[in-house]
Amino acid sequence: MSKARRLRVKAKPEDFERQHDDDAGFDLRAKEEVTLIEGKPKLVKTNVFVEIPKNHVGLVMIRSSLGMKGITLANSVGVIDSGYRGEVGLIMVSLSGNQTVFAGDRVAQMLIVPLQPVNVEYVKQLKGSERGEGGFGSTGKS
């Protein structure tokens, strides 16, 4: 079994916590009340600062309960690089009318994911594959 990496967090424990020990992500809470105007992205602050270990990334996703209400992240998934030390902010948008997010609401979750370093090789031609250059729906499966 691999040894767990240390994740340093500057926040109140209730602002960055797992509800259950085996949860994949850490809940993020809204720092202040924000009214989301339908279709207009708005920055929602979390009062959370993280020091993500090298060769890891923080992936931020909307909570499914908010997704059911038509609230999502404008950038779909937020990426927090290991070198970033600023406050974690969420670019939230309502797709279903004007809605309010209240201070203290759990609004998103962050997963800490290990990265596999790769060496980039620039080439003029890629190797072929069974799928080839087919785009969306090209596998014929729904």
Side-chain angles (χ1 to χ4, degrees):
M1 180 171 276
S2 65
K3 184 179 174 186
R5 300 276 192 247
R6 182 173 304 272
L7 176 67
R8 294 172 47 97
V9 179
K10 183 176 131 185
K12 295 178 185 174
E14 61 270 17
D15 290 339
F16 188 83
E17 66 179 346
R18 289 183 172 134
Q19 295 300 307
H20 306 280
D21 290 339
D22 59 351
D23 284 353
F26 293 88
D27 287 330
L28 295 167
R29 295 179 184 270
K31 178 179 177 176
E32 55 205 3
E33 182 176 313
V34 174
T35 297
L36 301 172
I37 307 300
E38 183 176 6
K40 296 192 181 278
K42 179 93 177 190
L43 179 64
V44 176
K45 295 183 177 185
T46 64
N47 209 30
V48 171
F49 302 76
V50 292
E51 187 178 317
I52 296 172
K54 186 176 180 176
N55 293 322
H56 287 70
V57 64
L59 298 178
V60 179
M61 289 155 252
I62 199 74
R63 287 178 43 87
S64 56
S65 59
L66 289 183
M68 287 295 295
K69 295 178 182 178
I71 297 174
T72 191
L73 296 178
N75 56 338
S76 184
V77 175
V79 174
I80 311 297
D81 294 312
S82 64
Y84 179 69
R85 296 294 185 270
E87 182 174 7
V88 174
L90 311 169
I91 306 168
M92 298 180 72
V93 64
S94 173
L95 305 174
S96 181
N98 298 347
Q99 300 191 58
T100 301
V101 171
F102 297 97
D105 282 357
R106 292 183 296 151
V107 291
Q109 47 191 318
M110 180 186 293
L111 280 70
I112 307 300
V113 180
L115 298 174
Q116 179 64 45
V118 297
N119 295 315
V120 177
E121 178 184 357
Y122 294 95
V123 298
K124 294 190 185 288
Q125 183 85 19
L126 298 176
K127 294 178 183 177
S129 72
E130 184 178 327
R131 183 172 179 183
E133 295 181 17
F136 297 107
S138 66
T139 60
K141 297 180 182 177
S142 22

